Amino acid sequence: MAVTASLKKRNETDSAPTSPLPRLVGLAILIFVDAAAIWFLSKLIPLGYYPLSAAIIVIAIFVNIVVVRKQAYPLRWMVVGLVLMAMFTIYPILFTVWVAFTNYGEGHLITKEQAVDQISNLTYLPETGKSYSWTAFRSPNGDYALWLVDADGNAYLALTGQPLSQLQAGEAGVGTLDEKGIPQTIEGYTRLNAIQAATDNNLTNIQFGEEGQTIQIRSPREAAELLPLYVFDAGQDAMIDQQTGIAYRNLRGTFTAPTGQQLRPGFVENVQLSNFNEFFTSPALRGPLVRIVVWNFAFAFFSLLLNFSLGLAIAVLFNDPAFPLKKLIRSLLIIPYTVPALITILIWRGMLNPELGVIDRMLEGLFGWAPPWFADGGWAKVAILLINLWLSYPYFMLICSGALQSIPEDIYAAAQVDGASPWQQFWNITLPLLLVAVGPLLVASFTFNFNNFNLIYLFNAGGPPIAGTPTPAGHTDILISYVYNLAFSGSRGVNYGFASAITIIIFFIVGAITLFQFRYTRMWEEVSENV
């Protein structure tokens, strides 16, 4: 009976009318968000930011569905987090993929329509064109007028969108003329002096007169009847030079003449798989690429091996309860992990400096010789592995210390009864059980070192240089630093499309390595189940 009464009371509560205020507040917020999205889109779409505009449209539709549909009610508590994740995580990934198939980069940052408009604004003075001296006037609402005087002394008033008017004093609001034949006033306009006209950047961008006879300022003293230098021909997909008749055809987002001359700016265009083909087939990249990839794998492997080995050795050593001053020494050993890596790398760079470095001076004082850390490729790699060891061993010491505490002491006691030596206990008990706990962390560490750009770039920027390579490459360059130099520091300028393509390639390489390593992680788990 009590259960029946409770259910009845719940049904009455659920069927009771609810206040419409929360619903109205939610709809008001939704209307505000939609209005903000529409306003933002009205600014983005004319500028050609189509990928970002598409992302905002999809997110806005998703938010509306979540708020309006009752079936999506549980998602309302997560909608802010989901929107932020979409904007700052998912969208950058999708945008990178899109950029990889384009020529997006230096000189190719705008749409084709914007590039055509900018190039079409270039003008020239034809043989039949007339030149004038000019004086500028400006109205209170920001409109401009020019008083023009040709070589024969004829005066004209030029306004935007209207034909030239040959006027004299007293006509159409023109005031009295000064000794140079320039009106003191024009009705509705204020005369600008030479300094005001020279510092007004709007004047040189305005085309006065009407279409077919436009007047544009060329210099502080001259205005002329200018015509567009280039006209776009949609049939040829080319810009036609009106002076020479040369057709600049579209070639990978740049209008290019048969002689190779290019018009700037270029525009973003789909180049399909060209960026990927360039990476795999370009002779300029093929030279040092194999050596860099081999060193990249070696750097990640030896960094993981050395760092894990030292951290594990220290953890096993301190796992002995009888070790003296264990807490003090362990605290001191953690200090390198507390210092930011950026500062540590720069400190090591200074200590290994061949002129003033304390390590080099000490080695020269003891042995009369110090390794050429920055001049020899082999020693540079040793230095990088040494610095990475200093940066990473405290991390492995901490995780191994925690993992060792989880291994039951009964297992070691049973092994000692069976006559197992300390080395046999380590190889057959400690290490297999330890790898079960830290195996995924080892995979993550390998992946991190495979893309450890900060260490390579801050220590010696990938140097010393490899001799005889068609593109700049260094002995300690890893794939990510080499690609960075190619995409952002090369002589050809910034190339985001190429950099994005290489980023995708690196993603698949690292993903394949990670999957391969996790397969062995599952094998370790099987070993632990049998112990």
Side-chain angles (χ1 to χ4, degrees):
M1 293 295 293
V3 174
T4 305
S6 177
L7 292 174
K8 184 178 179 180
K9 184 177 181 180
R10 181 180 297 179
N11 292 333
E12 291 175 355
T13 303
D14 293 340
S15 61
T18 58
S19 174
L21 183 60
R23 185 73 172 174
L24 293 176
V25 172
L27 290 176
I29 295 175
L30 181 63
I31 292 172
F32 174 77
V33 171
D34 288 343
I38 292 173
W39 176 83
F40 197 38
L41 289 170
S42 67
K43 302 295 183 181
L44 289 177
I45 294 176
L47 295 175
Y49 295 108
Y50 301 125
L52 182 57
S53 301
I56 292 175
I57 292 173
V58 172
I59 292 173
I61 293 173
F62 171 76
V63 172
N64 280 266
I65 293 174
V66 169
V67 174
V68 173
R69 291 185 63 86
K70 293 183 178 180
Q71 294 84 347
Y73 182 82
L75 293 176
R76 295 179 189 178
W77 306 102
M78 304 170 56
V79 67
V80 175
L82 292 174
V83 169
L84 293 177
M85 182 181 69
M87 287 300 299
F88 297 107
T89 302
I90 299 176
Y91 169 72
I93 294 174
L94 297 178
F95 182 75
T96 300
V97 174
W98 173 77
V99 169
F101 294 91
T102 68
N103 62 342
Y104 193 81
E106 185 175 324
H108 301 87
L109 299 174
I110 59 178
T111 64
K112 185 176 182 179
E113 293 77 12
Q114 292 172 326
V116 169
D117 290 341
Q118 290 189 27
I119 296 174
S120 299
N121 288 333
L122 299 176
T123 57
Y124 77 106
L125 180 63
E127 295 181 357
T128 57
K130 296 177 61 178
S131 297
Y132 308 86
S133 61
W134 61 274
T135 303
F137 293 78
R138 184 172 58 196
S139 69
N141 59 359
D143 294 330
Y144 291 86
L146 288 184
W147 182 262
L148 305 174
V149 180
D150 62 15
D152 299 326
N154 300 316
Y156 303 87
L157 179 63
L159 302 173
T160 57
Q162 299 181 24
L164 299 184
S165 302
Q166 186 171 0
L167 300 174
Q168 297 179 356
E171 297 180 351
V174 177
T176 57
L177 306 181
D178 60 13
E179 65 279 3
K180 296 182 179 180
I182 302 172
Q184 298 284 356
T185 60
I186 297 178
E187 185 178 357
Y189 293 87
T190 302
R191 179 173 171 177
L192 302 180
N193 58 40
I195 297 177
Q196 291 174 322
T199 56
D200 195 328
N201 296 326
N202 296 322
L203 274 172
T204 56
N205 298 324
I206 299 175
Q207 293 184 353
F208 296 89
E210 62 181 352
E211 187 175 354
Q213 189 184 16
T214 58
I215 308 296
Q216 195 166 358
I217 295 174
R218 298 183 69 190
S219 69
R221 294 186 177 182
E222 182 186 18
E225 295 178 351
L226 304 178
L227 294 177
L229 179 58
Y230 300 100
V231 176
F232 181 67
D233 186 343
Q236 301 183 58
D237 192 17
M239 300 295 296
I240 309 300
D241 190 326
Q242 300 301 296
Q243 282 186 300
T244 62
I246 296 176
Y248 292 76
R249 289 182 169 80
N250 178 14
L251 180 62
R252 283 195 61 174
T254 305
F255 292 110
T256 307
T259 59
Q261 183 181 357
Q262 297 179 334
L263 299 180
R264 294 293 182 178
F267 50 90
V268 179
E269 189 171 70
N270 187 355
V271 295
Q272 299 179 355
L273 299 175
S274 297
N275 291 319
F276 297 92
N277 291 335
E278 183 178 0
F279 178 76
F280 288 109
T281 63
S282 173
L285 302 179
R286 195 182 306 121
L289 189 59
V290 175
R291 298 176 61 177
I292 290 172
V293 170
V294 171
W295 159 242
N296 202 158
F297 279 96
F299 167 67
F301 173 77
F302 285 110
S303 293
L304 177 61
L305 178 64
L306 295 174
N307 301 342
F308 176 67
S309 299
L310 181 58
L312 176 59
I314 296 174
V316 171
L317 187 64
F318 286 124
N319 197 42
D320 184 1
F323 194 92
L325 302 176
K326 178 168 61 176
K327 293 183 179 180
L328 175 62
I329 299 175
R330 181 183 292 170
S331 300
L332 295 175
L333 290 174
I334 295 175
I335 289 178
Y337 195 55
T338 63
V339 180
L342 172 66
I343 297 176
T344 303
I345 295 170
L346 295 179
I347 291 174
W348 273 94
R349 179 178 177 177
M351 291 193 301
L352 296 176
N353 185 280
E355 301 296 333
L356 303 174
V358 60
I359 294 179
D360 274 39
R361 296 181 67 180
M362 180 184 68
L363 292 175
E364 288 178 356
L366 293 175
F367 306 105
W369 174 84
W373 306 109
F374 295 90
D376 182 79
W379 282 108
K381 294 175 182 178
V382 172
I384 286 177
L385 291 174
L386 179 64
I387 297 172
N388 205 20
L389 177 63
W390 175 264
L391 290 170
S392 302
Y393 84 84
Y395 168 75
F396 286 103
M397 180 187 70
L398 291 174
I399 63 173
C400 290
S401 297
L404 289 174
Q405 301 301 320
S406 65
I407 301 177
E409 292 293 336
D410 297 343
I411 300 177
Y412 292 104
Q416 291 174 1
V417 171
D418 292 337
S421 65
W423 275 109
Q424 290 174 327
Q425 294 178 37
F426 175 79
W427 288 107
N428 296 288
I429 298 176
T430 304
L431 188 60
L433 294 179
L434 188 69
L435 292 178
V436 173
V438 303
L441 299 177
L442 297 179
V443 174
S445 178
F446 182 91
T447 303
F448 171 79
N449 284 305
F450 193 86
N451 289 322
N452 196 345
F453 174 81
N454 289 341
L455 174 57
I456 302 298
Y457 194 77
L458 291 175
F459 179 67
N460 62 353
I466 300 176
T469 58
T471 55
H475 284 277
T476 58
D477 263 324
I478 58 176
L479 195 57
I480 188 67
S481 64
Y482 178 58
V483 170
Y484 175 85
N485 291 329
L486 284 176
F488 301 107
S489 302
S491 58
R492 60 180 179 178
V494 177
N495 191 340
Y496 295 110
F498 180 73
S500 298
I502 307 308
T503 301
I504 293 175
I505 294 173
I506 294 175
F507 166 78
F508 282 109
I509 293 175
V510 175
I513 295 170
T514 304
L515 290 175
F516 178 78
Q517 291 176 324
F518 268 115
R519 178 181 178 184
Y520 284 92
T521 303
R522 290 196 294 269
M523 291 176 62
W524 293 334
E525 291 174 355
E526 293 173 3
V527 171
S528 68
E529 293 171 0
N530 295 328
V531 173

